[in-house]
Amino acid sequence: KVIPAVLALALGIGATSAIFSVMRGVVLRPLPYSDPDRIVVVWESNARRNRNVIANGNWVEWRARNRSFSHLGMAGSWRLNLLLDGRPEEAVGMFASSDVFPALGVQPALGRAYGPSEDEEGNDRVIIVSDNFWRTRLGGRADAIGTTIMTNGIPRTLVGVMPPDFTLLG
């Protein structure tokens, strides 16, 4: 009679502990940015989608008319075909406007962030990489800043490396 009760109690405590650990790590832990309670995400919606990616022209207009937010940036996922040392690779990255990093209160650990002029089409041939990408694919070399990385057939200048464990949008 005692063994089944102890097993049931142990399973209950173990399951509760595991669930709380997951909830704490995913839901309760604050975002790793300065002033996370001041960050909001804005989406467009239409008849087919509640969370639609904002059209670039709309974002430009919103930013020009913005009177409510200290920064209004745009970011989203982006599939990249890279050419590194003559070898093609595929990677999933993010595109981000120049206001994203100031909004999050995060700056690259090496190099610099995007400038406002680099939000303009045709002047957007710069790239910032993650710490992991920099270490594994670029050898962790400080002189990698300023080098060219081909993405989707377009040469982009590496201008920054984000801090370790930095993540954008999860």
Side-chain angles (χ1 to χ4, degrees):
K1 293 180 180 180
V2 173
I3 291 176
V6 170
L7 283 175
L9 195 57
L11 285 173
I13 291 171
T16 302
S17 179
I19 289 170
F20 180 75
S21 295
V22 169
M23 289 296 291
R24 181 174 178 261
V26 175
V27 178
L28 302 176
R29 184 178 50 191
L31 294 170
Y33 310 124
S34 63
D35 298 323
D37 56 329
R38 297 179 48 91
I39 297 172
V40 296
V41 177
V42 180
W43 299 89
E44 281 186 335
S45 62
N46 59 33
R48 291 183 298 197
R49 295 180 73 182
N50 279 342
R51 287 181 154 186
N52 200 33
V53 176
I54 299 167
N56 191 46
N58 289 350
W59 173 74
V60 169
E61 187 68 23
W62 291 0
R63 188 171 69 167
R65 294 180 180 205
N66 174 39
R67 302 291 178 264
S68 302
F69 302 107
S70 57
H71 299 283
L72 185 62
M74 184 167 77
S77 61
W78 189 24
R79 187 167 283 312
L80 299 167
N81 293 309
L82 303 171
L83 192 58
L84 293 171
D85 297 326
R87 295 183 335 263
E89 290 188 44
E90 186 177 58
V92 176
M94 301 291 297
F95 64 86
S97 68
S98 62
D99 270 340
V100 168
F101 299 120
L104 299 177
V106 178
Q107 290 296 311
L110 186 64
R112 65 175 179 85
Y114 302 130
S117 67
E118 291 162 330
D119 287 335
E120 299 170 16
E121 193 169 338
N123 197 26
D124 57 351
R125 296 191 174 205
V126 292
I127 191 168
I128 296 173
V129 298
S130 70
D131 181 78
N132 184 54
F133 185 95
W134 175 65
R135 291 183 190 283
T136 60
R137 295 203 177 92
L138 302 175
R141 298 181 348 259
D143 66 349
I145 299 294
T147 61
T148 300
I149 298 175
M150 292 292 285
T151 62
N152 299 341
I154 298 171
R156 297 186 190 276
T157 302
L158 176 63
V159 296
V161 176
M162 293 309 292
D165 301 321
F166 171 78
T167 183
L168 183 63
L169 302 177

